[in-house]
Amino acid sequence: MTVTATSVDQPDRLRTSPAPGAWRRRLPRLVPALASALCGVLLYVSFPPRPLWWLALPAFAGFGWVLRGRGWKAALGLGYLFGLGFLLPLLVWTGVEVGYLPWLALVAVEAVFVALVGVGVAAVSRLPAWPVWAAAIWITGEAVRARMPFGGFPWGKIAFGQADGVFLPLAAVGGTPVLGFGVVLCGFGLYEAARLAAEGRRSRSVRRAAAAAALLSSAAAAALLSVAVPVAGAFAARGLVSDKAEDGTRTVAVIQGNVPREGLEFSAQRRAVLDRHVKETLKLAADVKAGKVPRPDFVLWPENSSDLDPYNDPDAATVIDEASAAIGVPISVGAVVDKDGKQLNEQILWDPAKGPTQTYDKRQIQPFGEYMPLRGFVGAINKDWTTMLRQDFSRGTKPGVFDMDGAKVGLATCYEAAFDWDVRDTVTHGAEMISVPSNNATFDRSEMTYQQLAMSRVRAVEHSRTVTVPVTSGVSAIIMPDGKITQRTGMFVPAYLEQKVPLRTSTTPATDLGILPEMALVLVAVGGIGWAIGSGSRARRAGEV
């Protein structure tokens, strides 16, 4: 019999192919990894512009399932996959103009914090009432991520995905930490209640009635603690927020001038951007003169509405004077200015009679966007990234509260809206309403502007203040103290919004308590991890004996 090459090669191929049984053995290991990544994607889908806030609950329920009882190495990996599934699509806008590498680098770093949270959740997952400890650990991870590296990056806080949700009033109780804690607790609690209920059914099947009753009782307790309490608390907190005016009302105008071209190149057309905001203000003035709309008490322009320094450019000052004189009321102008060799992102209160009177310099400046950490290292990777930002911006030092026609208007410029303390201290310094002047033109038509708008809605409820959002290219909006948007623009269109809004002076518990709720949750997390470590040590000692 002749042996062919095919008959000789066939056994080799059979030897190198995994047996069906091997694949079946590997599959159970892949399921948790895949489930963790998919739960992260589900969490992303719960964020704006989609009003699917409730998807955060099954996302955390699934995350709790994959982490329960895991060792630290497995939990680290599963947590990292959850972070990637969540942050990769959430932050894709960061690479719109600078390419995929900075986006991937940012996500890779931010997902490390989520991975460490996964280790903590797995550690406490065997403790009684573990959803409480686990939710506190998640908020601790957010607290760390909001502060480091390079001043922190709070984008993706769970609270910022809840602007349309039933949990939103919790923001008035304890700010974004308490709102986020309620959501995460509810998600973990749903899984725990389902797990205990399933164990109770299994116990009944083997006729262990007493054990079944105990487990079902535990399931009910877990559901009450982790699901009913946050929901009930949210409904109870609705009374903390009111649209009632406490210091009268003001008619506010928000100007969106639009930009001549999308992308970073618009900065090269700074005069065109300024002219467009002047033009839209003159249109508003003409409509006021024609009786179409009432005269506003003041006008709010966005961040970077004048990248020409009006202190050093007479033409820029002239056209701003023209707009202010035409409308006849003060205008808050967003400008890039040079003072004493420092470059500042500044809001200038421009009076029609006096010119510039008050200023606010942005304090929370954006790393790699307004200043360049590790400039030499970044330049070695790509010189274009450093040439885009030739000079670092300097930080302001004082909270911004403008006195505009007797109204105290707090200012949190763009990126600052993501930071709890930068918004709160405008209210503690007397702000009766808040404005978030922003410039999102760099990020094209991405979801970034909707994510930031949701932050402003949460801030409105957190401090029970009207929030206005003037943006160069959209979406600009007026938000009531209950978080509802009453007016909004489209993207990349010139427009103005005008509305009478309430001024409020009372404060919420969130405003009064400040950082204390977050600190309390961090202590809860530390206590849970300490308990878990102690329990593990005792179990090991008992095993050795």
Side-chain angles (χ1 to χ4, degrees):
M1 179 179 177
T2 302
V3 178
T4 64
T6 301
S7 64
V8 173
D9 292 342
Q10 184 67 22
D12 290 335
R13 287 198 297 271
L14 290 174
R15 281 195 297 269
T16 58
S17 299
W23 279 112
R24 284 195 293 270
R25 287 191 297 271
R26 292 177 187 175
L27 189 59
R29 302 179 198 172
L30 296 176
V31 168
L34 182 61
S36 191
L38 289 176
C39 286
V41 174
L42 195 64
L43 182 59
Y44 154 70
V45 176
S46 75
F47 270 66
R50 295 158 296 276
L52 302 176
W53 57 270
W54 50 272
L55 287 178
L57 304 182
F60 279 103
F63 193 41
W65 171 69
V66 299
L67 289 176
R68 178 172 170 77
R70 300 282 179 181
W72 73 268
K73 291 181 181 178
L76 188 71
L78 291 169
Y80 197 76
L81 288 172
F82 183 84
L84 291 179
F86 172 44
L87 296 171
L88 272 171
L90 185 81
L91 302 179
V92 67
W93 52 266
T94 60
V96 166
E97 292 295 335
V98 294
Y100 67 90
L101 189 56
W103 161 51
L104 294 178
L106 173 64
V107 171
V109 172
E110 293 296 309
V112 170
F113 294 99
V114 183
L116 294 173
V117 166
V119 174
V121 171
V124 301
S125 64
R126 299 288 190 182
L127 297 180
W130 71 266
V132 176
W133 313 109
I137 289 169
W138 180 275
I139 299 305
T140 299
E142 288 189 343
V144 174
R145 197 160 62 85
R147 291 167 173 81
M148 58 185 296
F150 310 123
F153 187 71
W155 224 274
K157 274 190 169 187
I158 298 306
F160 297 150
Q162 296 296 308
D164 291 302
V166 299
F167 295 98
L168 179 60
L170 290 175
V173 177
T176 61
V178 169
L179 172 53
F181 176 77
V183 175
V184 180
L185 174 62
C186 193
F188 285 147
L190 284 172
Y191 161 65
E192 178 66 355
R195 184 187 71 82
L196 291 173
E199 287 191 10
R201 286 193 296 271
R202 285 195 296 270
S203 296
R204 282 202 307 270
S205 67
V206 295
R207 303 189 179 186
R208 290 184 293 186
L215 283 169
L216 288 174
S217 177
S218 298
L224 178 64
L225 175 66
S226 304
V227 180
V229 169
V231 173
F235 278 97
R238 295 172 69 180
L240 295 174
V241 180
S242 171
D243 288 345
K244 182 180 179 181
E246 296 173 328
D247 191 25
T249 61
R250 295 294 187 277
T251 299
V252 179
V254 169
I255 300 296
Q256 178 175 300
N258 199 18
V259 298
R261 191 165 65 223
E262 299 173 19
L264 288 174
E265 295 84 358
F266 92 91
S267 294
Q269 304 178 46
R270 294 173 293 177
R271 178 55 189 265
V273 175
L274 173 57
D275 286 344
R276 285 175 177 240
H277 285 83
V278 169
K279 181 180 178 181
E280 199 61 27
T281 305
L282 295 178
K283 178 183 175 183
L284 169 63
D287 288 347
V288 169
K289 187 175 182 180
K292 295 180 180 179
V293 295
R295 185 179 303 278
D297 294 303
F298 48 86
V299 176
L300 302 169
W301 283 10
E303 177 188 35
N304 297 120
S305 47
S306 177
D307 275 346
L308 294 174
D309 183 349
Y311 298 120
N312 297 309
D313 189 315
D315 287 340
T318 297
V319 296
I320 296 172
D321 272 330
E322 178 188 359
S324 182
I327 193 62
V329 299
I331 301 175
S332 180
V333 178
V336 174
V337 304
D338 291 300
K339 290 182 178 178
D340 301 323
K342 296 179 179 180
Q343 184 168 255
L344 298 166
N345 186 334
E346 187 167 88
Q347 288 289 312
I348 307 169
L349 183 58
W350 205 282
D351 185 86
K354 302 176 184 177
T357 57
Q358 302 173 53
T359 61
Y360 167 64
D361 298 323
K362 186 176 182 180
R363 294 170 294 163
Q364 196 73 42
I365 56 177
Q366 183 181 350
F368 305 101
E370 291 174 305
Y371 79 100
M372 186 64 67
L374 311 174
R375 183 175 286 271
F377 175 74
V378 172
I381 298 173
N382 189 325
K383 289 184 179 180
D384 290 341
W385 294 337
T386 54
T387 55
M388 287 178 185
L389 187 63
R390 296 181 183 277
Q391 181 181 352
D392 290 343
F393 281 79
S394 296
R395 299 175 184 271
T397 57
K398 297 179 180 178
V401 180
F402 283 173
D403 186 341
M404 304 181 74
D405 189 43
K408 302 294 185 181
V409 181
L411 298 165
T413 304
C414 197
Y415 186 57
E416 293 182 318
F419 293 84
D420 296 347
W421 45 90
D422 276 319
V423 181
R424 175 180 177 265
D425 67 6
T426 67
V427 180
T428 59
H429 282 77
E432 299 169 308
M433 62 170 287
I434 300 169
S435 185
V436 184
S438 303
N439 173 23
N440 299 336
T442 301
F443 305 110
D444 199 6
R445 296 180 181 274
S446 70
E447 294 181 357
M448 183 271 188
T449 189
Y450 300 104
Q451 294 170 9
Q452 191 177 57
L453 184 60
M455 293 179 191
S456 295
R457 294 178 63 189
V458 172
R459 299 306 183 194
V461 174
E462 182 178 13
H463 301 293
S464 192
R465 294 293 189 271
T466 298
V467 177
T468 59
V469 186
V471 185
T472 51
S473 56
V475 174
S476 299
I478 296 176
I479 305 166
M480 290 293 99
D482 61 359
K484 290 184 173 62
I485 297 174
T486 53
Q487 292 190 53
R488 62 189 296 171
T489 69
M491 293 184 69
F492 292 100
V493 293
Y496 70 78
L497 305 174
E498 187 179 78
Q499 184 175 322
K500 183 180 289 187
V501 300
L503 301 181
R504 293 184 54 78
T505 54
S506 62
T507 55
T508 63
T511 308
D512 296 333
L513 293 172
I515 198 175
L516 292 179
E518 185 178 64
M519 292 177 61
L521 290 171
V522 170
L523 290 175
V524 171
V526 171
I529 292 173
W531 186 4
I533 292 173
S535 297
S537 298
R538 287 191 295 273
R540 284 192 295 272
R541 286 195 298 270
E544 291 172 358
V545 174

